[in-house]
Amino acid sequence: MARLVFPPDFLWGSATAAYQVEGATREDGRGESIWDVFSRRPGRVHAGENGDIAADQYHRYPEDIELMRGLGAGAYRFSLAWPRVYPEGRGKLNPKGFDYYQRLVDALLGSGIKPVVTLYHWDLPQALEEKGGWTARDTAYAFADYASACYTALGDRVRDWITINEPWCSAYLGYGRGVHAPGHRSESMAASAAHHLNLAHGLALAAYRATGQGGSVGIALNLSTPRPATAKPEDAAAVERLVDRDSRMFTGPLFGHGYPEAYLKKEGLALPVEPGDMELIAAPMDFLGLNYYSEPAAVDDPSAPLGATHAPSGYPETGMGWPIVPQGLLRQLRWATRESGGIPLYITENGAAFEDRVQGERVHDEGRVAYLRDHLAVCSEAVHEGLPLKGYFLWSFIDNFEWAWGYSQRFGIVHCDFTTLERKPKDSYYFYRDVIAGTAE
Ligand code: FCB
């Protein structure tokens, strides 16, 4: 079997997001987010669950950092909760919100772990949603103000920033399909949210450059780059229609290629673009983050939206029902390299949900170990092929609140007992530790 070989400066990390792990949703002046409200709506989240306690990282971060230390990972990607900092989204700042993140950042740095901070991982302050949320242009400006406050409070210690996590999910799952907060169902709201999320990224990037702090800024995208289900030209065309909506609505403007006009025209969508927006959004960033879990196959289907649909695949699936396609990651890395013009790439999320078997002090998760081994082998292949892949963040450091799936899906390499909040490293934790140390096969 190929050795998992990586360059010495390859950055290793694990990842989480505020609402999924912090808990403490009513402490120290935090305001409400759209996920607090969405979780209370009957039938929206599995078993009516919510992030009120989650993995309680807000109180247990010292223990978690000890576990990260044992892993040997040089970085930790986490997100800041906007409603902790600005309980109403803008206006009056809550200094206690920053106190927590300052403690967390200091503790990480004290353990030799670099903080990589996501500014927005889906927990929009509810007060902003009441003014239109991401369909309102003003939300992008509020985000830039919030981002600036974060640079001021933490920028001397945080050198790596991710503006927005998976804007596709915020726009299309949150405003288009209604399966994520805030739960709207309108394609035109989704498209307008997409533009404002892109704009928010551009404004936050410009605000960072204006600070002169000199660190690096990027975005984390969940691109969808399906393969055609068959060799028929119709399926190849179906792929392009899906890629337009699911990837080029973001990579297009971000890398100066503009919005995918064919998609917008076909759907009769007009984006709320104002003069100067496209230049702001296309300003050069320092890296692109990719969240990769699976690769669908696309098939031409005149009865489906966009005339295309995902075809069933013969690959085995994770607990989420997502086909396991490691080679799809290599295809996506090549696609992203072309589309972005070759800027540094990071895998900002990759991992899998499976059922674990807890046996005393051990937690067995061979499915996750196999998934990670295969995807890491592809990462090593990508580096050797010369693709600009500079690091890898495993999703997730610890089991957490998996959005609409509640606690029914576990992605962690550290097991969390959601009753006692006790942590236990899984077999995949030890496997990842060995990969980082360079001793895994
Ligand atoms: C991604 C999200 C992340 C997590 C994983 C499984 O879409 O960014 O928060 O839920 O999926």
Side-chain angles (χ1 to χ4, degrees):
M1 196 182 294
R3 199 71 188 277
L4 296 165
V5 182
F6 292 87
D9 59 350
F10 196 80
L11 186 65
W12 294 108
S14 62
T16 62
Y19 190 68
Q20 295 181 275
V21 297
E22 283 180 358
T25 52
R26 292 182 193 82
E27 272 176 62
D28 296 332
R30 177 185 177 278
E32 274 205 321
S33 84
I34 54 175
W35 272 95
D36 296 292
V37 174
F38 187 73
S39 303
R40 286 199 294 267
R41 286 165 65 185
R44 296 309 183 99
V45 174
H46 169 84
E49 291 162 343
N50 60 49
D52 281 359
I53 299 173
D56 195 34
Q57 191 166 76
Y58 195 79
H59 300 111
R60 290 167 201 257
Y61 69 89
E63 192 185 337
D64 287 350
I65 292 175
E66 252 329 282
L67 284 162
M68 286 175 209
R69 224 219 285 245
L71 197 56
Y76 177 46
R77 173 182 176 227
F78 62 94
S79 78
L80 308 184
W82 184 350
R84 283 200 196 281
V85 174
Y86 285 108
E88 299 293 318
R90 66 185 337 170
K92 203 165 168 303
L93 189 120
N94 172 36
K96 284 198 168 166
F98 277 134
D99 289 351
Y100 168 62
Y101 295 116
Q102 258 144 6
R103 289 196 298 278
L104 177 64
V105 164
D106 287 343
L108 287 165
L109 290 171
S111 295
I113 300 168
K114 169 161 122 143
V116 175
V117 173
T118 309
L119 288 164
Y120 185 71
H121 201 127
W122 305 356
D123 42 2
L124 185 72
Q126 175 65 16
L128 294 181
E129 174 56 26
E130 279 155 25
K131 296 189 181 122
W134 286 112
T135 67
R137 187 176 174 88
D138 203 41
T139 297
Y141 292 102
F143 177 72
D145 292 345
Y146 152 68
S148 295
C150 297
Y151 306 147
T152 304
L154 299 166
D156 57 338
R157 284 156 287 177
V158 175
R159 313 290 299 159
D160 300 272
W161 298 89
I162 292 169
T163 53
I164 292 178
N165 179 72
E166 300 188 357
W168 182 88
C169 290
S170 288
Y172 285 88
L173 300 182
Y175 291 84
R177 299 186 193 166
V179 296
H180 277 188
H184 301 296
R185 291 199 180 95
S186 146
E187 187 82 1
S188 71
M189 283 174 95
S192 145
H195 178 64
H196 293 137
L197 284 152
N198 286 332
L199 178 62
H201 159 85
L203 291 166
L205 174 59
Y208 187 74
R209 298 294 189 232
T211 64
Q213 287 176 353
S216 62
V217 180
I219 191 168
L221 301 179
N222 59 318
L223 298 177
S224 179
T225 46
R227 61 187 183 283
T230 71
K232 283 195 237 148
E234 294 83 351
D235 289 347
V239 165
E240 294 311 311
R241 291 197 293 281
L242 290 175
V243 170
D244 273 356
R245 182 194 58 201
D246 298 337
S247 297
R248 292 197 192 97
M249 275 297 285
F250 303 93
T251 57
L254 288 167
F255 297 109
H257 316 307
Y259 280 109
E261 291 304 330
Y263 157 69
L264 296 173
K265 199 158 160 243
K266 189 165 193 306
E267 296 295 293
L269 297 167
L271 295 179
V273 178
E274 294 196 5
D277 287 4
M278 299 308 279
E279 291 74 13
L280 260 174
I281 298 169
M285 56 181 140
D286 302 301
F287 63 89
L288 172 62
L290 300 178
N291 296 354
Y292 178 87
Y293 291 93
S294 183
E295 180 199 66
V299 66
D300 180 63
D301 177 356
S303 69
L306 300 183
T309 191
H310 290 164
S313 91
Y315 289 90
E317 295 175 349
T318 67
M320 301 286 282
W322 297 346
I324 302 171
V325 196
Q327 286 299 315
L329 172 55
L330 188 56
R331 289 187 275 271
Q332 183 166 109
L333 284 164
R334 290 182 185 138
W335 189 92
T337 301
R338 283 196 303 276
E339 190 78 8
S340 66
I343 64 170
L345 301 177
Y346 288 85
I347 300 297
T348 34
E349 288 180 26
N350 175 242
F354 285 105
E355 272 188 30
D356 308 320
R357 284 177 299 113
V358 184
Q359 279 177 354
E361 283 314 298
R362 297 301 299 263
V363 184
H364 301 301
D365 61 342
E366 43 283 290
R368 184 173 296 102
V369 170
Y371 180 100
L372 293 173
R373 180 183 281 114
D374 292 346
H375 286 76
L376 286 161
V378 163
C379 290
S380 156
E381 205 179 326
V383 173
H384 291 100
E385 181 176 311
L387 298 175
L389 179 62
K390 305 296 178 198
Y392 176 95
F393 291 79
L394 193 158
W395 186 275
S396 176
F397 169 71
I398 191 164
D399 293 335
N400 58 58
F401 175 76
E402 180 45 40
W403 308 113
W405 297 76
Y407 296 97
S408 67
Q409 298 291 327
R410 294 175 176 270
F411 275 88
I413 54 170
V414 171
H415 184 270
C416 182
D417 177 323
F418 291 113
T419 311
T420 63
L421 298 168
E422 192 193 339
R423 278 95 163 114
K424 272 184 197 160
K426 304 183 190 178
D427 290 349
S428 55
Y429 169 97
Y430 297 109
F431 169 71
Y432 191 42
R433 179 195 65 184
D434 292 350
V435 172
I436 295 170
T439 58
E441 298 267 329

